Amino acid sequence: MKVAGIELKNPTILASGIMGTTGAALARMGRNGAGAVVTKSIGPVPKKGHNNPSMVELECGYINAMGLPNPSYLGFCEEIGIAKSKTDAPLIASIFGGNAAEFTEVAKRLLSSKPDCFELNVSCPHAEGYGASVGTDPDLVHEITTSVVDAVDVPVWVKLTPNVTDITSIGRAAESAGASAIVAINTVRGMAIDIHSGYPILGNRFGGLSGPAVKPVAVKCVYDLYEVLDVPVIGVGGITCWEDAIEMMLAGASAVEIGSAVHDDTQIFEKISKGIDTYLQKYGYSKAEDIAGLSHEMI
Amino acid sequence: MRPIHSKITEIVEESPNVRTFFFDTQFDEAIPGQFVMVWVHGTDEVPMTLSGKNSITVQKVGDATSRMFELGIGDHMGLRGPFGRGFTIPRNGENVLFIAGGVGAAPIAPLADIVKMRGIEAHAILGARCCDEILFRERFACGRVDITTDDGSEGRSGFVTDQLTETDTSNINRIYVCGPEIMMYKVFEILKARNVHVKTEFSLHRYFKCGIGVCGACSMDPEGLRVCRDGPVFNGGELEGSEFGHYERDSSGRKCRF
């Protein structure tokens, strides 16, 4: 299926930050049935990330603050090459920077490793000066997206933060700048405190919530974006089973990304894409695209 | 799971740089070789293989472990676990060989306890830089024990590999190895030449970020096996042709050669 300029093997995509630090790990998820894989976000300089704890399972999901650890484009071109040689799932390079120039530099430097697409991380909720620090401003998102789109010859997706008053204004800014798809959502800003010691649990004190707790937030964001955009929406947030994926697609997603659910099952992609196929067959749809945004017609 | 608020109930000084911390939290279901994420409040969280049902044995090497060495009885740490895949457990009647270097004796010691309890005959090769750094010699006393020290202060002067070269492994059913990766890789090469590496289990160490198998920071090349979840214990057969013994990755994901 072709979505937003790339040929997906199926609608289930490995989300950024999950098994995405090495080419071998990305390839493993590709072999496990991911329709495409998104890398860990890569930036202009090597970054070690926040101190641990950096990810903790809570009662309702997961909270994390990795702090964008990455080896920079210098170390990562080789990993993209390895991933591409070991799986035929399309490879989407997630990138971040503090401004348009940095984003564009990273994108250009990664081009030689031939990623199939870029995903701009303007939405990490816990890295000062990066991510959501730039992704909450529609003008900055427009400037960054324009700059990367002009510099590369592959589709550019933009991943949004839900931690804004109006996600559609950010989505519109990215679309008008030439984004081929809008990915929603990144994690929801959150915090967990150890009641016995009084310490915030994450090394960064606060971070982003993922997993089942955020799914309704993601469904609403995807629904709202679908209303106002012409480009496809990629739904991400709390998907753990095929029913969740279908719900996200009915809200408006052309494909979905799956992250935290890999914790319980590294074979999750194959299971969810089979479930989607069975659903489509049962209700008489010929392809996944047919149900994207269908709930908007149910009035 | 959230970290379990755990009180330090006892501290044993094993050597000048190694201490065992006992907690009021007991991991009864833990399999030898499994680890816990140890949260030192306000500093960092690091993986530590359990050296007993309620203990970790720590070598002072970095920020988190240095801070641990400032803690006393009654102080608290946060513990999450047990995580990962541990060692297989030997059956009655099997012949067992333990090979440990330095603080690498800690993950294997719980296995030695089981072996001793069941009356299984085991041979241990324990190596360290000097006699003060040989850990848990009484726990490994379940058969022959060979000591090697780099400085010759006790036992054989040299490395565990020198002893292993002269050790007949043809009748051994299971071999358990833990120590610095260079040591483990030398052991792997010797055992592979004898084609018994597939009877051997190695406890590996990598930089862990999430510790729960999600982020991929500890994935090994070329299969993308996660040390925190698919390991930390691996059969020698799984390590053939891998990055094991060649390189690891730092916290940013850059390769660092051994």
Side-chain angles (χ1 to χ4, degrees):
Chain A
M1 59 185 292
K2 193 151 181 149
V3 174
I6 71 169
E7 194 66 43
L8 302 178
K9 293 175 72 187
N10 64 62
T12 67
I13 303 168
L14 173 72
S16 181
I18 315 296
M19 291 295 281
T21 313
T22 72
L26 288 161
R28 180 178 172 188
M29 295 299 104
R31 289 197 301 273
N32 285 1
V37 295
V38 186
T39 69
K40 177 78 193 153
S41 293
I42 302 303
V45 291
K47 215 166 164 333
K48 69 187 265 298
H50 300 312
N51 277 356
N52 285 345
S54 55
M55 183 166 185
V56 176
E57 186 176 8
L58 302 176
E59 307 70 33
C60 58
Y62 301 85
I63 193 158
N64 90 82
M66 296 286 170
L68 297 170
N70 81 96
S72 85
Y73 53 76
L74 288 172
F76 207 71
C77 278
E78 183 190 350
E79 302 297 339
I80 293 178
I82 290 168
K84 290 203 59 130
S85 71
K86 298 179 85 171
T87 172
D88 52 0
L91 185 134
I92 300 163
S94 173
I95 61 172
F96 74 92
N99 53 47
E102 284 186 1
F103 267 96
T104 308
E105 183 199 3
V106 176
K108 280 181 170 169
R109 296 296 199 113
L110 288 177
L111 267 182
S112 62
S113 60
K114 300 207 179 304
D116 297 288
C117 175
F118 285 99
E119 181 179 282
L120 310 187
N121 178 356
V122 293
S123 43
C124 175
H126 50 77
E128 210 166 308
Y130 296 113
S133 305
V134 295
T136 48
D137 178 343
D139 294 337
L140 261 179
V141 169
H142 188 275
E143 185 192 341
I144 290 165
T145 307
T146 304
S147 179
V148 177
V149 166
D150 287 348
V152 303
D153 52 3
V154 292
V156 175
W157 297 1
V158 180
K159 185 170 180 180
L160 304 187
T161 173
N163 306 311
V164 289
T165 309
D166 176 18
I167 195 168
T168 61
S169 64
I170 316 285
R172 277 200 184 106
E175 180 184 65
S176 68
S180 301
I182 301 302
V183 184
I185 56 174
N186 206 315
T187 53
V188 177
R189 206 162 40 199
M191 188 170 186
I193 294 169
D194 175 42
I195 62 166
H196 305 287
S197 65
Y199 276 89
I201 295 178
L202 292 172
N204 186 54
R205 302 182 77 80
F206 71 96
L209 184 66
S210 66
V214 310
K215 196 190 72 178
V217 179
V219 169
K220 169 69 169 144
C221 287
V222 167
Y223 188 92
D224 290 350
L225 287 164
Y226 181 87
E227 281 280 311
V228 303
L229 298 179
D230 294 322
V231 296
V233 180
I234 311 295
V236 51
I239 295 172
T240 64
C241 57
W242 67 264
E243 291 91 335
D244 294 341
I246 296 290
E247 188 179 356
M248 200 68 87
M249 293 165 94
L250 292 173
S254 296
V256 297
E257 291 186 0
I258 296 165
S260 303
V262 170
H263 174 266
D264 290 334
D265 186 1
T266 55
Q267 308 287 334
I268 189 83
F269 304 98
E270 202 184 338
K271 285 179 190 159
I272 291 184
S273 68
K274 273 187 186 153
I276 293 171
D277 284 346
T278 309
Y279 174 91
L280 294 174
Q281 217 167 4
K282 181 178 172 187
Y283 288 97
Y285 300 105
S286 59
K287 51 190 191 303
E289 292 91 316
D290 295 347
I291 64 165
L294 210 58
S295 66
H296 292 257
E297 295 168 23
M298 303 300 159
I299 43 175
Chain B
M1 71 185 296
R2 287 171 182 250
I4 303 167
H5 195 56
S6 305
K7 191 199 287 185
I8 300 169
T9 55
E10 190 187 348
I11 300 173
V12 175
E13 185 132 350
E14 309 285 0
S15 77
N17 259 325
V18 177
R19 284 182 194 169
T20 299
F21 295 85
F22 290 87
F23 297 97
D24 63 353
T25 301
Q26 182 109 356
F27 295 95
D28 286 320
E29 304 300 311
I31 294 161
Q34 285 193 302
F35 70 93
V36 288
M37 292 299 283
V38 182
W39 178 29
V40 187
H41 301 132
T43 306
D44 206 348
E45 187 193 43
V46 290
M48 289 281 164
T49 305
L50 290 162
S51 59
K53 293 288 186 197
N54 66 333
S55 68
I56 56 170
T57 298
V58 181
Q59 184 169 30
K60 192 170 154 183
V61 288
D63 292 347
T65 51
S66 297
R67 177 74 190 113
M68 275 183 217
F69 271 52
E70 294 166 14
L71 300 179
I73 291 169
D75 288 334
H76 290 82
M77 295 188 223
L79 303 177
R80 290 193 285 156
F83 292 140
R85 178 176 65 167
F87 293 108
T88 63
I89 308 296
R91 296 195 186 94
N92 292 341
E94 288 188 328
N95 293 314
V96 171
L97 173 62
F98 298 120
I99 305 171
V103 77
I108 306 182
L111 262 183
D113 297 342
I114 291 175
V115 160
K116 195 186 259 183
M117 199 175 65
R118 294 217 202 137
I120 296 170
E121 186 79 9
H123 175 192
I125 303 174
L126 305 179
R129 281 180 299 192
C130 61
C131 62
D132 290 344
E133 295 184 2
I134 298 289
L135 293 183
F136 302 133
R137 59 183 84 210
E138 70 294 341
R139 290 174 77 181
F140 282 99
C142 32
R144 178 176 166 177
V145 178
D146 289 310
I147 306 271
T148 71
T149 52
D150 299 4
D151 67 355
S153 53
E154 186 180 343
R156 179 185 190 129
S157 177
F159 304 118
V160 292
T161 43
D162 300 325
Q163 190 67 40
L164 177 62
T165 307
E166 294 168 16
T167 302
D168 179 9
T169 47
S170 53
N171 290 319
I172 304 281
N173 302 96
R174 290 171 207 263
I175 306 172
Y176 301 98
V177 189
C178 189
E181 188 144 327
I182 293 298
M183 179 213 100
M184 289 199 289
Y185 188 65
K186 297 282 181 202
V187 167
F188 171 83
E189 284 185 311
I190 292 168
L191 298 177
K192 186 165 184 296
R194 299 177 189 176
N195 208 27
V196 295
H197 62 300
V198 291
K199 296 180 186 175
T200 310
E201 295 169 32
F202 298 84
S203 174
L204 267 59
H205 179 85
R206 284 290 180 275
Y207 177 76
F208 287 179
K209 194 78 186 155
C210 77
I212 54 175
V214 177
C215 74
C218 64
S219 292
M220 294 180 74
D221 291 340
E223 298 298 328
L225 292 173
R226 303 159 297 176
V227 174
C228 78
R229 188 80 176 263
D230 302 305
V233 173
F234 292 97
N235 182 283
E238 294 173 298
L239 297 173
E240 267 184 271
S242 77
E243 69 177 49
F244 171 62
H246 301 290
Y247 59 86
E248 60 182 343
R249 286 168 202 273
D250 68 11
S251 51
S252 75
R254 279 181 295 186
K255 286 182 192 174
C256 310
R257 297 214 149 262
F258 285 112

